[in-house]
Amino acid sequence: MATVRLLMLQKALLHRTTSRSSSQLLLRPPSIPILTSLRAFSSAAALSPPSTAVVYDLHGPPDTVTRITELPPVEIKENDVCVKMLAAPINPSDINRIEGVYPVRPPVPAVGGYEGVGEVHSVGPGVKGFSAGDLVISSPPSSGTWQTYVVKEQSLWHRIDNGTPIEYAATVTVNPLTALRMVEDFVDLNSGDSIVQNGATSIVGQCVIQLARERGIHTVNIIRDRARSDEVKEKLKKLGADEVYTESQLEVKNLKSLLINLPEPALGFNCVGGNTASLVLKFLRQGGTMVTYGGMSKKPITVSTTSFIFKDLSLRGFWLQKWMTSEKATECRSMIDYLLGLTREGKLIYDMELVPFNNFQTALEKALGKLGSQPKQVIKF
């Protein structure tokens, strides 16, 4: 069965090479001999090394439909860059793509993953500005990062500072960039203003706290009830959080009575939904805005009539992938450089666990929540 699946995958990917797009990986059919050596700027056609990849032939539960297999070499064309992947995260959106429920997803069979970091292995003869050993990320991000070698046209790679820790380079685009855009795009905040958010322990939540601190903006943070919640609160406060509350602590009639030394928040972020989203709304000041960027509880947002009529609240949504197709996306690479600069300075940190590629299944189980609360899983190739 594995042989049949591999043939199916190779046939599908061969078809894709005839209609190449920036969001799809190019794989060469196995009938082409593998070169014994690979040289940058060679005038002869060159091939990448074979790639070990996480693929799925069908949509469904990720721990059921994914498998690790060998893929054939890819031709490195005139303006192509071949990258040896170093690390790539398992994001919730990656899981949703495999499940077939994400709004934008590659056709199956497909290679998993959407963002990641690697080093330049070799380049086509027409490539300028990239050399072997350069640290690069896919920009804009695209499907297929859960494999050991990726070949794409040079304009789809962004060279970054080689001193950047690979776990931060691998994860900078989806979560930290979401946090940055939400802090800056929806409400004109000034130093001394406040933000309220749920999901504060997520990577986006941790980044919001630190980016707000850099701007002199206060944060009120909501976390779910859990064991050792005091330790979690202390950890978030070390990142710069002003206040951290569990959901049960907010079962009071007047939430704003808790804001003794802070102004009422003008902006709120929701990634949970349900009752926790309602808590964010209750904290907001007159004319405040709540931005929803996730729905981890899978429960709808319920808004009281009085919130609209008497508080004039606004509800907005943010989807990074849509934002990156807008005119603002041209600024994306400078924003990524800014964020990575903060990581190198120790001003932007967040929880991750680097996991060897051969332990992918364990990392996937952790990402699926089957082993309890876990930090972001980052595959190290």
Side-chain angles (χ1 to χ4, degrees):
M1 180 61 73
T3 302
V4 173
R5 285 179 175 176
L6 180 56
L7 290 173
M8 290 172 60
L9 179 69
Q10 291 170 344
K11 187 181 292 183
L13 291 169
L14 171 59
H15 173 70
R16 276 183 243 176
T17 63
T18 63
S19 56
R20 179 175 180 179
S21 71
S22 64
S23 63
Q24 295 173 327
L25 302 175
L26 305 180
L27 298 179
R28 191 71 174 174
S31 59
I32 296 178
I34 300 174
L35 299 183
T36 56
S37 64
L38 188 59
R39 293 184 179 181
F41 304 102
S42 170
S43 58
L47 299 179
S48 73
S51 187
T52 304
V54 177
V55 302
Y56 54 102
D57 304 294
L58 303 168
H59 290 126
D63 53 346
T64 301
V65 300
T66 57
R67 59 190 173 86
I68 296 178
T69 191
E70 295 294 318
L71 298 179
V74 180
E75 181 182 349
I76 302 172
K77 296 185 178 180
E78 177 82 9
N79 296 313
D80 283 348
V81 176
C82 173
V83 171
K84 180 183 185 300
M85 295 302 293
L86 299 177
I90 304 177
N91 288 317
S93 55
D94 296 323
I95 292 170
N96 292 156
R97 286 185 181 90
I98 296 170
E99 292 171 333
V101 299
Y102 202 71
V104 177
R105 54 189 181 271
V108 292
V111 177
Y114 185 66
E115 66 174 331
V117 64
E119 63 180 12
V120 174
H121 175 269
S122 55
V123 299
V127 171
K128 297 180 180 179
F130 292 94
S131 302
D134 284 346
L135 202 62
V136 295
I137 62 172
S138 178
S139 178
S142 58
S143 297
T145 58
W146 292 354
Q147 61 176 316
T148 51
Y149 289 92
V150 176
V151 175
K152 288 195 288 192
E153 204 272 335
Q154 63 178 332
S155 66
L156 303 175
W157 295 108
H158 176 49
R159 190 175 70 243
I160 61 174
D161 191 306
N162 271 36
T164 306
I166 63 168
E167 62 270 31
Y168 287 104
T171 56
V172 67
T173 303
V174 172
N175 292 147
L177 189 56
T178 292
L180 178 63
R181 293 316 338 140
M182 292 196 305
V183 167
E184 296 196 341
D185 285 354
F186 290 92
V187 174
D188 187 13
L189 297 172
N190 298 308
S191 179
D193 286 339
S194 294
I195 292 171
V196 59
Q197 66 170 342
N198 59 32
T201 58
S202 68
I203 288 185
V204 172
Q206 293 176 62
C207 289
V208 164
I209 291 169
Q210 294 167 90
L211 292 171
R213 178 196 60 196
E214 282 289 299
R215 291 156 174 75
I217 297 167
H218 304 290
T219 57
V220 179
N221 303 274
I222 304 169
I223 63 174
R224 62 180 176 81
D225 289 273
R226 67 186 76 196
R228 304 168 74 175
S229 60
D230 287 341
E231 293 180 16
V232 176
K233 291 179 181 181
E234 185 60 28
K235 188 172 186 178
L236 293 179
K237 287 187 175 182
K238 286 181 178 179
L239 294 179
D242 292 273
E243 299 291 349
V244 184
Y245 300 105
T246 61
E247 292 176 25
S248 61
Q249 284 182 290
L250 300 179
E251 294 173 356
V252 296
K253 188 172 182 179
N254 183 12
L255 289 184
K256 292 181 181 179
S257 64
L258 301 173
L259 301 177
I260 301 173
N261 298 313
L262 298 179
E264 293 179 75
L267 180 61
F269 300 138
N270 164 53
C271 67
V272 180
N275 180 63
T276 312
S278 299
L279 293 174
V280 171
L281 289 169
K282 289 178 181 179
F283 270 112
L284 290 176
R285 75 184 187 193
Q286 180 81 17
T289 298
M290 182 175 80
V291 180
T292 293
Y293 66 97
M296 293 189 294
S297 72
K298 298 183 179 179
K299 295 179 181 178
I301 299 169
T302 302
V303 187
S304 68
T305 302
T306 56
S307 293
F308 281 127
I309 296 176
F310 301 113
K311 292 185 65 178
D312 191 26
L313 298 183
S314 298
L315 303 185
R316 302 287 301 278
F318 181 80
W319 182 27
L320 181 68
Q321 190 158 337
K322 180 180 179 181
W323 177 86
M324 293 185 78
T325 63
S326 71
E327 293 180 0
K328 291 183 180 179
T330 59
E331 308 166 28
C332 180
R333 293 184 177 184
S334 62
M335 296 174 193
I336 285 172
D337 290 339
Y338 162 71
L339 291 166
L340 291 177
L342 292 179
T343 67
R344 290 192 298 271
E345 294 170 11
K347 295 179 179 179
L348 186 66
I349 59 175
Y350 41 86
D351 293 334
M352 293 173 284
E353 180 181 0
L354 277 170
V355 182
F357 189 24
N358 57 9
N359 289 342
F360 172 78
Q361 288 301 328
T362 299
L364 183 59
E365 288 182 3
K366 289 182 177 181
L368 290 170
K370 295 190 172 184
L371 300 177
S373 180
Q374 300 286 339
K376 173 75 70 179
Q377 298 295 293
V378 181
I379 306 163
K380 184 178 180 180
F381 297 99

